Amino acid sequence: MTIGIDGNRLIARLRELGEIGRDADGRLIRVALNDAEKQGRGLFVSWLKQAGLDVVIDRIGNIFGIWRTGDPDAAPIMLGSHIDTVVNAGIYDGCYGVLAGLEVIDALKCHAFESSRPIIVGAFTNEEGVRYVPDMMGSLVFAGGLSVDAALAAVGHDGTVLGRELARIGYAGETEPGFVTPHVYVELHIEQGPVLERDGIQIGAVENLQGISWQRITIDGTANHAGTTPMAMRCDAGQAAARVITFVKDHVERAGTSGVATVGTIAFHPNVINVIPSRATFTVDLRDPDEAKLKAAEAALADYLGRLAAEMGVRVATERLARFEPVVFDARVCGLIEQAAREHQLSVRRMTSGAGHDAQMIARICPAAMIFVPSRDGISHNPREHTEPDQLVAGANVLLDVVARLARESAP
Amino acid sequence: MTIGIDGNRLIARLRELGEIGRDADGRLIRVALNDAEKQGRGLFVSWLKQAGLDVVIDRIGNIFGIWRTGDPDAAPIMLGSHIDTVVNAGIYDGCYGVLAGLEVIDALKCHAFESSRPIIVGAFTNEEGVRYVPDMMGSLVFAGGLSVDAALAAVGHDGTVLGRELARIGYAGETEPGFVTPHVYVELHIEQGPVLERDGIQIGAVENLQGISWQRITIDGTANHAGTTPMAMRCDAGQAAARVITFVKDHVERAGTSGVATVGTIAFHPNVINVIPSRATFTVDLRDPDEAKLKAAEAALADYLGRLAAEMGVRVATERLARFEPVVFDARVCGLIEQAAREHQLSVRRMTSGAGHDAQMIARICPAAMIFVPSRDGISHNPREHTEPDQLVAGANVLLDVVARLARESAP
């Protein structure tokens, strides 16, 4: 098609929004519902109004810009992502999908594109989950996976209550979350991983999203003097932890699936050079796009922990921190993404999302898919997060084409 | 012999000294040169004077009680240990050897025992090394292994300078450390390990002391998203650390020596559940009574680290924190310990000390040996440190007999 998004404005707005929430050291900290995020929301709402969209805020603070066009009773096409950030964030994660969605609607609207149905861009509350758990909260509530009252009662790490903070910053809307069920949801996002860059691919058509299993494992042994306790008389919690850490990696590699396993945190007690650790606490992050394989990895870990307890005489306790099943995105929408990319002479590949996104929640209520663009060095959640401007613009134009195709289809 | 030590007084004094340095939570914290240790030193000096001994304080603050008897020009028999403690300590570590040494001299003196040479009991400064490094400092300086001026200039973890603290608490003596070279040194100590209790042995004749090698290892990899980074593209510092931890244990066990290996401390960076660790820092404590085997263990670790760096693409840095060669104690004195134990109908066994002691420093300048008594559950550096009173008294009487035999031998 001949319509294109305003690439310069997209890049300028990403940078302008990215300046909101800087601390004295220049770190971007626009954490959900803090004063900086209020300011960011205000800026986004002003841009929605500037585009002539209706602004709707729901009870969990999700912000929607609605282009009321086509059949007013038809289910809308929804685009979106989030504008909250982690601590010391980059400027693209989430904001790219939201601002590109706005550019897409603006481009179609300015060209008097005849859409069969309304088109909405949404910014979902608290995707990052830095201050309040769970993450992806706004989209989860919107999709009916968590009651709005439970979400409003969430207490943050800083002791604040989410509902009160939402009211304080002026974003406690009156509309019920889920006030509309989208016809389709498409989310554009930076990959946050190294695969597209490594393989020189410009566009990822995200066909599924890994299931996630987070556990905290605590191993209790016996503290003893490092010099005077023979090896055979030890009950070393640190040794047991090291064996688990190597096991989880070796297991997913042996399984040969696309699953991944990560031990990101660890602590020994008493953590003294000449004392055998009495306790080791660490986390295990398992992911797999295939639920059966994710369950198999969990089962293999549980089995290994049982054997380890018996062999080493340690006590093992596990605590589930998070668990999401894999999500399969809509194959037809993925096909449209591939088609649009090819028409733009962009290399494209179907791929799996390793990270969680709002799309996985909205996929509960309508067909959904995601578009990825490359992340330099695969880095995200970091000030070094970067995607080249031409790649950002190319991704937004692919989104535009996908939306235009969907919007041309007659509404039932 | 018919002389015996005053067992009730030994136990009472251990408990009295053990009450000095309790914090509000009842934890014993009589760390080198703090106010509590000053008070403990004062109590010990008062007991030395009560026994009619000459009190000598040297420039590093070592306290000696000297029974000037026999040939005044003959090299003295020296007994001793230390009265400083770790944080949240038990009451026996160190204090037992010092107070039992005083009881031995007192018993011989009261019975007008005819010693061929003077007998000295010493309490060495800063054996534990909690506040100032190195540990075993007072005995090391006394044996000429560290200059007194360097030791006095040591800066503590709390920013204090050792020499100033020594002056502040009134124990900066004027006598040069090493003012006398002992004829022989015997140190009585709790085992601080589980071997005697496990095997039902009452007395350990310590024939050697393990060499100690302490290293801090830092492994640098690359932080990345735990969900989006395929296993094959990772450079996971935590995985590398886990492999080293299992290696050191497996290596010493395969080597089948009496060596031990411990990883007591660890830290990951950034230590976040869904981020692959960019850095892992941990300590390795290797010990072996055989210097060649200790060197072999160090070499095997270095070799493994080199291979790991090559295979996993991580960068590895090692820092030596401490290194002491193994010490072989005097075989003749060990024989006297065995003989004395048997005459008391006590089971006895030659053994290795896994922990460091002042005896290993004094062994540089004269024949030395140690006597161990069992530690309940092998526990030390802990309020649960315990040895039964009858075992403490039995050990002190073995020390008395050994000293009496040595003191009967004619001075050259």
Side-chain angles (χ1 to χ4, degrees), chain A residues 192-194 198 210 226-228 233-234 239 243 245 249-250 260-262 264-266 271 354, chain B residues 192-194 198 210 226-228 233-234 239 243 245 249-250 260-262 264-266 271 273 354:
Chain A
Q192 304 184 278
R198 177 193 62 183
Q210 294 186 128
T228 61
M233 293 180 73
R234 296 178 174 213
Q239 277 294 332
R243 277 163 209 271
I245 293 169
K249 173 175 186 284
D250 293 347
V260 289
T262 307
T265 80
I266 195 165
N271 208 42
Chain B
Q192 303 184 279
R198 177 193 63 184
Q210 293 185 129
T228 60
M233 293 181 71
R234 296 179 174 213
Q239 277 294 333
R243 278 165 209 271
I245 294 169
K249 172 175 186 282
D250 293 347
V260 290
T262 307
T265 79
I266 195 165
N271 208 43
I273 186 168

mmCIF file of all heavy atoms in Angstrom, chain A residues 192-194 198 210 226-228 233-234 239 243 245 249-250 260-262 264-266 271 354, chain B residues 192-194 198 210 226-228 233-234 239 243 245 249-250 260-262 264-266 271 273 354:
data_model
loop_
_atom_site.group_PDB
_atom_site.id
_atom_site.type_symbol
_atom_site.label_atom_id
_atom_site.label_comp_id
_atom_site.label_asym_id
_atom_site.label_seq_id
_atom_site.Cartn_x
_atom_site.Cartn_y
_atom_site.Cartn_z
ATOM 1 N N GLN A 192 14.184 -7.993 22.281
ATOM 2 C CA GLN A 192 14.790 -8.176 23.608
ATOM 3 C C GLN A 192 15.638 -9.441 23.676
ATOM 4 O O GLN A 192 15.873 -9.964 24.771
ATOM 5 C CB GLN A 192 13.727 -8.220 24.718
ATOM 6 C CG GLN A 192 12.828 -7.003 24.757
ATOM 7 C CD GLN A 192 11.861 -7.031 25.930
ATOM 8 O OE1 GLN A 192 10.822 -7.656 25.869
ATOM 9 N NE2 GLN A 192 12.220 -6.358 27.006
ATOM 10 N N GLY A 193 16.050 -9.928 22.528
ATOM 11 C CA GLY A 193 16.883 -11.113 22.478
ATOM 12 C C GLY A 193 17.778 -10.999 21.250
ATOM 13 O O GLY A 193 17.625 -10.067 20.440
ATOM 14 N N PRO A 194 18.716 -11.927 21.080
ATOM 15 C CA PRO A 194 19.753 -11.781 20.053
ATOM 16 C C PRO A 194 19.484 -12.507 18.732
ATOM 17 O O PRO A 194 20.320 -12.465 17.838
ATOM 18 C CB PRO A 194 20.960 -12.423 20.735
ATOM 19 C CG PRO A 194 20.372 -13.538 21.544
ATOM 20 C CD PRO A 194 18.996 -13.067 21.966
ATOM 21 N N ARG A 198 21.502 -11.915 15.203
ATOM 22 C CA ARG A 198 22.464 -12.974 14.888
ATOM 23 C C ARG A 198 22.252 -13.532 13.493
ATOM 24 O O ARG A 198 23.200 -13.765 12.746
ATOM 25 C CB ARG A 198 22.341 -14.109 15.913
ATOM 26 C CG ARG A 198 23.262 -15.305 15.628
ATOM 27 C CD ARG A 198 22.886 -16.524 16.455
ATOM 28 N NE ARG A 198 21.532 -17.001 16.141
ATOM 29 C CZ ARG A 198 20.933 -18.012 16.764
ATOM 30 N NH1 ARG A 198 21.538 -18.635 17.760
ATOM 31 N NH2 ARG A 198 19.713 -18.392 16.415
ATOM 32 N N GLN A 210 6.829 -18.479 24.951
ATOM 33 C CA GLN A 210 7.216 -19.552 25.856
ATOM 34 C C GLN A 210 6.391 -19.565 27.134
ATOM 35 O O GLN A 210 6.057 -18.528 27.672
ATOM 36 C CB GLN A 210 8.679 -19.382 26.259
ATOM 37 C CG GLN A 210 9.664 -19.549 25.124
ATOM 38 C CD GLN A 210 11.093 -19.519 25.608
ATOM 39 O OE1 GLN A 210 11.841 -20.410 25.303
ATOM 40 N NE2 GLN A 210 11.471 -18.514 26.352
ATOM 41 N N ALA A 226 35.420 -25.516 57.624
ATOM 42 C CA ALA A 226 35.930 -25.937 56.319
ATOM 43 C C ALA A 226 37.240 -26.704 56.428
ATOM 44 O O ALA A 226 37.598 -27.447 55.512
ATOM 45 C CB ALA A 226 36.139 -24.714 55.424
ATOM 46 N N GLY A 227 37.959 -26.532 57.520
ATOM 47 C CA GLY A 227 39.251 -27.201 57.640
ATOM 48 C C GLY A 227 39.180 -28.529 58.356
ATOM 49 O O GLY A 227 39.953 -29.435 58.075
ATOM 50 N N THR A 228 38.248 -28.647 59.276
ATOM 51 C CA THR A 228 38.278 -29.790 60.186
ATOM 52 C C THR A 228 37.229 -30.848 59.874
ATOM 53 O O THR A 228 37.190 -31.876 60.532
ATOM 54 C CB THR A 228 38.053 -29.309 61.636
ATOM 55 O OG1 THR A 228 36.765 -28.673 61.706
ATOM 56 C CG2 THR A 228 39.126 -28.330 62.063
ATOM 57 N N MET A 233 32.087 -36.404 55.732
ATOM 58 C CA MET A 233 31.167 -36.085 56.829
ATOM 59 C C MET A 233 30.400 -34.790 56.595
ATOM 60 O O MET A 233 29.760 -34.273 57.502
ATOM 61 C CB MET A 233 31.946 -35.989 58.138
ATOM 62 C CG MET A 233 32.525 -37.321 58.585
ATOM 63 S SD MET A 233 33.428 -37.170 60.131
ATOM 64 C CE MET A 233 32.076 -36.950 61.295
ATOM 65 N N ARG A 234 30.469 -34.265 55.362
ATOM 66 C CA ARG A 234 29.846 -32.978 55.097
ATOM 67 C C ARG A 234 28.408 -33.106 54.600
ATOM 68 O O ARG A 234 28.057 -34.086 53.952
ATOM 69 C CB ARG A 234 30.655 -32.217 54.031
ATOM 70 C CG ARG A 234 32.033 -31.897 54.514
ATOM 71 C CD ARG A 234 32.866 -31.186 53.464
ATOM 72 N NE ARG A 234 34.129 -30.790 54.085
ATOM 73 C CZ ARG A 234 34.820 -29.697 53.790
ATOM 74 N NH1 ARG A 234 34.379 -28.889 52.844
ATOM 75 N NH2 ARG A 234 35.918 -29.404 54.429
ATOM 76 N N GLN A 239 27.344 -27.146 47.689
ATOM 77 C CA GLN A 239 27.656 -28.176 46.697
ATOM 78 C C GLN A 239 26.374 -28.690 46.040
ATOM 79 O O GLN A 239 26.320 -28.884 44.824
ATOM 80 C CB GLN A 239 28.382 -29.353 47.364
ATOM 81 C CG GLN A 239 29.873 -29.154 47.532
ATOM 82 C CD GLN A 239 30.589 -29.085 46.199
ATOM 83 O OE1 GLN A 239 30.148 -29.651 45.206
ATOM 84 N NE2 GLN A 239 31.702 -28.366 46.170
ATOM 85 N N ARG A 243 25.236 -28.467 42.022
ATOM 86 C CA ARG A 243 24.832 -29.626 41.212
ATOM 87 C C ARG A 243 23.482 -29.374 40.534
ATOM 88 O O ARG A 243 23.277 -29.750 39.375
ATOM 89 C CB ARG A 243 24.812 -30.899 42.075
ATOM 90 C CG ARG A 243 26.217 -31.467 42.165
ATOM 91 C CD ARG A 243 26.515 -32.468 43.238
ATOM 92 N NE ARG A 243 27.928 -32.334 43.567
ATOM 93 C CZ ARG A 243 28.913 -32.997 42.963
ATOM 94 N NH1 ARG A 243 28.646 -33.873 42.016
ATOM 95 N NH2 ARG A 243 30.171 -32.775 43.294
ATOM 96 N N ILE A 245 22.345 -26.435 39.675
ATOM 97 C CA ILE A 245 22.569 -25.414 38.644
ATOM 98 C C ILE A 245 23.110 -26.058 37.359
ATOM 99 O O ILE A 245 22.654 -25.760 36.258
ATOM 100 C CB ILE A 245 23.528 -24.326 39.167
ATOM 101 C CG1 ILE A 245 22.861 -23.533 40.293
ATOM 102 C CG2 ILE A 245 23.955 -23.379 38.035
ATOM 103 C CD1 ILE A 245 23.795 -22.618 41.063
ATOM 104 N N LYS A 249 20.839 -26.799 33.371
ATOM 105 C CA LYS A 249 21.399 -26.458 32.060
ATOM 106 C C LYS A 249 21.591 -27.721 31.212
ATOM 107 O O LYS A 249 21.159 -27.784 30.064
ATOM 108 C CB LYS A 249 22.730 -25.732 32.226
ATOM 109 C CG LYS A 249 23.475 -25.488 30.919
ATOM 110 C CD LYS A 249 24.728 -24.655 31.165
ATOM 111 C CE LYS A 249 25.424 -24.269 29.876
ATOM 112 N NZ LYS A 249 26.179 -25.375 29.279
ATOM 113 N N ASP A 250 22.253 -28.710 31.797
ATOM 114 C CA ASP A 250 22.527 -29.932 31.040
ATOM 115 C C ASP A 250 21.223 -30.588 30.587
ATOM 116 O O ASP A 250 21.136 -31.119 29.478
ATOM 117 C CB ASP A 250 23.345 -30.911 31.897
ATOM 118 C CG ASP A 250 24.744 -30.383 32.169
ATOM 119 O OD1 ASP A 250 25.153 -29.404 31.506
ATOM 120 O OD2 ASP A 250 25.429 -30.923 33.055
ATOM 121 N N VAL A 260 14.696 -23.063 27.607
ATOM 122 C CA VAL A 260 15.871 -22.469 28.252
ATOM 123 C C VAL A 260 15.737 -22.618 29.766
ATOM 124 O O VAL A 260 14.637 -22.766 30.293
ATOM 125 C CB VAL A 260 16.048 -20.972 27.894
ATOM 126 C CG1 VAL A 260 16.481 -20.802 26.448
ATOM 127 C CG2 VAL A 260 14.775 -20.186 28.164
ATOM 128 N N ALA A 261 16.892 -22.590 30.445
ATOM 129 C CA ALA A 261 16.920 -22.698 31.907
ATOM 130 C C ALA A 261 17.966 -21.737 32.432
ATOM 131 O O ALA A 261 19.075 -21.671 31.902
ATOM 132 C CB ALA A 261 17.259 -24.128 32.320
ATOM 133 N N THR A 262 17.599 -20.992 33.460
ATOM 134 C CA THR A 262 18.492 -19.971 34.002
ATOM 135 C C THR A 262 18.438 -19.973 35.524
ATOM 136 O O THR A 262 17.348 -19.996 36.098
ATOM 137 C CB THR A 262 18.073 -18.568 33.504
ATOM 138 O OG1 THR A 262 17.969 -18.586 32.090
ATOM 139 C CG2 THR A 262 19.072 -17.501 33.956
ATOM 140 N N GLY A 264 19.468 -17.301 38.009
ATOM 141 C CA GLY A 264 19.904 -15.901 38.008
ATOM 142 C C GLY A 264 20.294 -15.377 39.372
ATOM 143 O O GLY A 264 21.056 -14.424 39.466
ATOM 144 N N THR A 265 19.767 -16.001 40.437
ATOM 145 C CA THR A 265 20.059 -15.500 41.790
ATOM 146 C C THR A 265 20.550 -16.640 42.674
ATOM 147 O O THR A 265 20.151 -17.795 42.520
ATOM 148 C CB THR A 265 18.820 -14.879 42.465
ATOM 149 O OG1 THR A 265 17.992 -15.926 42.985
ATOM 150 C CG2 THR A 265 18.004 -14.038 41.500
ATOM 151 N N ILE A 266 21.398 -16.295 43.629
ATOM 152 C CA ILE A 266 21.889 -17.296 44.593
ATOM 153 C C ILE A 266 22.338 -16.599 45.861
ATOM 154 O O ILE A 266 22.761 -15.432 45.822
ATOM 155 C CB ILE A 266 23.050 -18.132 43.996
ATOM 156 C CG1 ILE A 266 23.312 -19.387 44.839
ATOM 157 C CG2 ILE A 266 24.313 -17.283 43.872
ATOM 158 C CD1 ILE A 266 24.172 -20.429 44.155
ATOM 159 N N ASN A 271 27.726 -17.787 54.406
ATOM 160 C CA ASN A 271 28.517 -17.071 53.402
ATOM 161 C C ASN A 271 29.851 -16.585 53.978
ATOM 162 O O ASN A 271 30.211 -15.417 53.860
ATOM 163 C CB ASN A 271 27.713 -15.894 52.822
ATOM 164 C CG ASN A 271 28.129 -15.552 51.393
ATOM 165 O OD1 ASN A 271 28.347 -16.447 50.576
ATOM 166 N ND2 ASN A 271 28.276 -14.277 51.107
ATOM 167 N N GLY A 354 10.601 -15.231 23.849
ATOM 168 C CA GLY A 354 11.131 -15.759 25.104
ATOM 169 C C GLY A 354 10.638 -14.976 26.301
ATOM 170 O O GLY A 354 10.629 -15.479 27.423
ATOM 171 N N GLN B 192 37.557 -28.664 67.226
ATOM 172 C CA GLN B 192 36.793 -27.862 66.258
ATOM 173 C C GLN B 192 36.392 -28.668 65.034
ATOM 174 O O GLN B 192 36.095 -28.090 63.982
ATOM 175 C CB GLN B 192 37.573 -26.613 65.801
ATOM 176 C CG GLN B 192 37.993 -25.706 66.938
ATOM 177 C CD GLN B 192 38.675 -24.448 66.438
ATOM 178 O OE1 GLN B 192 39.862 -24.479 66.129
ATOM 179 N NE2 GLN B 192 37.948 -23.361 66.351
ATOM 180 N N GLY B 193 36.386 -29.961 65.176
ATOM 181 C CA GLY B 193 35.986 -30.842 64.084
ATOM 182 C C GLY B 193 35.350 -32.079 64.696
ATOM 183 O O GLY B 193 35.338 -32.251 65.925
ATOM 184 N N PRO B 194 34.819 -32.961 63.850
ATOM 185 C CA PRO B 194 34.000 -34.078 64.340
ATOM 186 C C PRO B 194 34.728 -35.411 64.507
ATOM 187 O O PRO B 194 34.108 -36.397 64.888
ATOM 188 C CB PRO B 194 32.948 -34.205 63.233
ATOM 189 C CG PRO B 194 33.724 -33.865 61.990
ATOM 190 C CD PRO B 194 34.767 -32.846 62.392
ATOM 191 N N ARG B 198 33.374 -38.713 66.554
ATOM 192 C CA ARG B 198 32.870 -39.773 65.679
ATOM 193 C C ARG B 198 33.511 -41.115 66.012
ATOM 194 O O ARG B 198 32.844 -42.147 66.042
ATOM 195 C CB ARG B 198 33.156 -39.414 64.211
ATOM 196 C CG ARG B 198 32.747 -40.488 63.222
ATOM 197 C CD ARG B 198 33.328 -40.238 61.843
ATOM 198 N NE ARG B 198 34.790 -40.283 61.853
ATOM 199 C CZ ARG B 198 35.570 -40.028 60.795
ATOM 200 N NH1 ARG B 198 35.024 -39.679 59.646
ATOM 201 N NH2 ARG B 198 36.874 -40.095 60.889
ATOM 202 N N GLN B 210 47.230 -28.916 58.493
ATOM 203 C CA GLN B 210 47.042 -28.781 57.052
ATOM 204 C C GLN B 210 47.579 -27.459 56.508
ATOM 205 O O GLN B 210 47.457 -26.431 57.156
ATOM 206 C CB GLN B 210 45.549 -28.834 56.727
ATOM 207 C CG GLN B 210 44.927 -30.173 57.000
ATOM 208 C CD GLN B 210 43.478 -30.203 56.544
ATOM 209 O OE1 GLN B 210 43.095 -31.097 55.838
ATOM 210 N NE2 GLN B 210 42.694 -29.238 56.931
ATOM 211 N N ALA B 226 16.890 -13.919 30.381
ATOM 212 C CA ALA B 226 16.788 -15.358 30.615
ATOM 213 C C ALA B 226 15.795 -16.032 29.678
ATOM 214 O O ALA B 226 15.872 -17.238 29.452
ATOM 215 C CB ALA B 226 16.376 -15.613 32.068
ATOM 216 N N GLY B 227 14.867 -15.269 29.110
ATOM 217 C CA GLY B 227 13.859 -15.885 28.265
ATOM 218 C C GLY B 227 14.210 -15.858 26.793
ATOM 219 O O GLY B 227 13.829 -16.748 26.042
ATOM 220 N N THR B 228 14.946 -14.847 26.388
ATOM 221 C CA THR B 228 15.124 -14.617 24.949
ATOM 222 C C THR B 228 16.502 -15.045 24.438
ATOM 223 O O THR B 228 16.751 -14.939 23.233
ATOM 224 C CB THR B 228 14.936 -13.121 24.636
ATOM 225 O OG1 THR B 228 15.910 -12.386 25.370
ATOM 226 C CG2 THR B 228 13.546 -12.652 25.027
ATOM 227 N N MET B 233 23.773 -19.440 22.928
ATOM 228 C CA MET B 233 24.321 -18.088 22.777
ATOM 229 C C MET B 233 24.664 -17.460 24.126
ATOM 230 O O MET B 233 24.945 -16.268 24.209
ATOM 231 C CB MET B 233 23.323 -17.197 22.021
ATOM 232 C CG MET B 233 23.142 -17.614 20.572
ATOM 233 S SD MET B 233 21.984 -16.545 19.698
ATOM 234 C CE MET B 233 22.931 -15.021 19.566
ATOM 235 N N ARG B 234 24.657 -18.256 25.190
ATOM 236 C CA ARG B 234 24.880 -17.706 26.521
ATOM 237 C C ARG B 234 26.344 -17.739 26.916
ATOM 238 O O ARG B 234 27.100 -18.607 26.482
ATOM 239 C CB ARG B 234 24.077 -18.505 27.550
ATOM 240 C CG ARG B 234 22.609 -18.380 27.308
ATOM 241 C CD ARG B 234 21.793 -19.179 28.309
ATOM 242 N NE ARG B 234 20.388 -18.872 28.066
ATOM 243 C CZ ARG B 234 19.455 -18.833 29.007
ATOM 244 N NH1 ARG B 234 19.765 -19.104 30.256
ATOM 245 N NH2 ARG B 234 18.218 -18.520 28.707
ATOM 246 N N GLN B 239 26.709 -20.437 35.701
ATOM 247 C CA GLN B 239 26.926 -21.826 35.299
ATOM 248 C C GLN B 239 28.394 -22.201 35.439
ATOM 249 O O GLN B 239 28.731 -23.285 35.918
ATOM 250 C CB GLN B 239 26.493 -22.040 33.842
ATOM 251 C CG GLN B 239 25.014 -22.280 33.662
ATOM 252 C CD GLN B 239 24.553 -23.588 34.293
ATOM 253 O OE1 GLN B 239 25.326 -24.538 34.438
ATOM 254 N NE2 GLN B 239 23.301 -23.617 34.679
ATOM 255 N N ARG B 243 30.119 -25.093 37.927
ATOM 256 C CA ARG B 243 31.012 -26.160 37.476
ATOM 257 C C ARG B 243 32.310 -26.182 38.283
ATOM 258 O O ARG B 243 32.828 -27.254 38.610
ATOM 259 C CB ARG B 243 31.277 -26.024 35.966
ATOM 260 C CG ARG B 243 30.127 -26.646 35.193
ATOM 261 C CD ARG B 243 29.995 -26.354 33.756
ATOM 262 N NE ARG B 243 28.574 -26.438 33.436
ATOM 263 C CZ ARG B 243 27.948 -27.567 33.049
ATOM 264 N NH1 ARG B 243 28.610 -28.667 32.867
ATOM 265 N NH2 ARG B 243 26.647 -27.559 32.830
ATOM 266 N N ILE B 245 32.590 -25.197 41.381
ATOM 267 C CA ILE B 245 32.248 -25.663 42.733
ATOM 268 C C ILE B 245 32.183 -27.193 42.766
ATOM 269 O O ILE B 245 32.711 -27.831 43.682
ATOM 270 C CB ILE B 245 30.918 -25.034 43.196
ATOM 271 C CG1 ILE B 245 31.096 -23.517 43.368
ATOM 272 C CG2 ILE B 245 30.431 -25.668 44.495
ATOM 273 C CD1 ILE B 245 29.797 -22.751 43.573
ATOM 274 N N LYS B 249 35.252 -30.153 44.650
ATOM 275 C CA LYS B 249 34.860 -31.248 45.539
ATOM 276 C C LYS B 249 35.220 -32.594 44.904
ATOM 277 O O LYS B 249 35.854 -33.441 45.539
ATOM 278 C CB LYS B 249 33.360 -31.191 45.811
ATOM 279 C CG LYS B 249 32.826 -32.401 46.576
ATOM 280 C CD LYS B 249 31.356 -32.211 46.906
ATOM 281 C CE LYS B 249 30.817 -33.317 47.800
ATOM 282 N NZ LYS B 249 30.543 -34.552 47.087
ATOM 283 N N ASP B 250 34.811 -32.755 43.646
ATOM 284 C CA ASP B 250 35.079 -34.038 42.987
ATOM 285 C C ASP B 250 36.575 -34.303 42.912
ATOM 286 O O ASP B 250 37.025 -35.440 43.081
ATOM 287 C CB ASP B 250 34.464 -34.031 41.577
ATOM 288 C CG ASP B 250 32.934 -33.999 41.627
ATOM 289 O OD1 ASP B 250 32.378 -34.235 42.710
ATOM 290 O OD2 ASP B 250 32.322 -33.730 40.581
ATOM 291 N N VAL B 260 40.845 -31.286 51.864
ATOM 292 C CA VAL B 260 39.449 -30.857 51.815
ATOM 293 C C VAL B 260 39.342 -29.628 50.921
ATOM 294 O O VAL B 260 40.318 -28.905 50.708
ATOM 295 C CB VAL B 260 38.880 -30.529 53.220
ATOM 296 C CG1 VAL B 260 38.702 -31.793 54.042
ATOM 297 C CG2 VAL B 260 39.778 -29.535 53.955
ATOM 298 N N ALA B 261 38.142 -29.408 50.383
ATOM 299 C CA ALA B 261 37.883 -28.245 49.526
ATOM 300 C C ALA B 261 36.506 -27.702 49.861
ATOM 301 O O ALA B 261 35.554 -28.467 50.016
ATOM 302 C CB ALA B 261 37.925 -28.655 48.046
ATOM 303 N N THR B 262 36.434 -26.388 49.992
ATOM 304 C CA THR B 262 35.172 -25.758 50.406
ATOM 305 C C THR B 262 34.948 -24.478 49.623
ATOM 306 O O THR B 262 35.862 -23.659 49.503
ATOM 307 C CB THR B 262 35.212 -25.402 51.912
ATOM 308 O OG1 THR B 262 35.571 -26.562 52.653
ATOM 309 C CG2 THR B 262 33.868 -24.853 52.384
ATOM 310 N N GLY B 264 32.717 -21.508 50.354
ATOM 311 C CA GLY B 264 31.870 -21.011 51.446
ATOM 312 C C GLY B 264 31.087 -19.766 51.100
ATOM 313 O O GLY B 264 30.065 -19.485 51.717
ATOM 314 N N THR B 265 31.577 -18.985 50.108
ATOM 315 C CA THR B 265 30.902 -17.732 49.763
ATOM 316 C C THR B 265 30.642 -17.660 48.265
ATOM 317 O O THR B 265 31.410 -18.195 47.470
ATOM 318 C CB THR B 265 31.733 -16.484 50.141
ATOM 319 O OG1 THR B 265 32.756 -16.276 49.161
ATOM 320 C CG2 THR B 265 32.386 -16.639 51.507
ATOM 321 N N ILE B 266 29.561 -16.980 47.914
ATOM 322 C CA ILE B 266 29.256 -16.790 46.494
ATOM 323 C C ILE B 266 28.390 -15.546 46.328
ATOM 324 O O ILE B 266 27.639 -15.177 47.230
ATOM 325 C CB ILE B 266 28.545 -18.026 45.902
ATOM 326 C CG1 ILE B 266 28.554 -17.985 44.373
ATOM 327 C CG2 ILE B 266 27.119 -18.130 46.431
ATOM 328 C CD1 ILE B 266 28.213 -19.314 43.716
ATOM 329 N N ASN B 271 22.213 -10.661 39.866
ATOM 330 C CA ASN B 271 21.423 -11.414 40.853
ATOM 331 C C ASN B 271 19.930 -11.129 40.714
ATOM 332 O O ASN B 271 19.249 -10.798 41.679
ATOM 333 C CB ASN B 271 21.908 -11.099 42.272
ATOM 334 C CG ASN B 271 21.667 -12.265 43.226
ATOM 335 O OD1 ASN B 271 21.899 -13.428 42.881
ATOM 336 N ND2 ASN B 271 21.183 -11.967 44.415
ATOM 337 N N ILE B 273 16.297 -12.735 38.912
ATOM 338 C CA ILE B 273 15.751 -14.047 38.551
ATOM 339 C C ILE B 273 15.753 -14.294 37.041
ATOM 340 O O ILE B 273 16.034 -15.405 36.605
ATOM 341 C CB ILE B 273 14.332 -14.218 39.139
ATOM 342 C CG1 ILE B 273 13.801 -15.645 38.912
ATOM 343 C CG2 ILE B 273 13.360 -13.181 38.602
ATOM 344 C CD1 ILE B 273 12.551 -15.950 39.721
ATOM 345 N N GLY B 354 42.906 -29.576 61.092
ATOM 346 C CA GLY B 354 42.355 -28.976 59.890
ATOM 347 C C GLY B 354 42.322 -27.464 59.974
ATOM 348 O O GLY B 354 42.283 -26.771 58.960
#
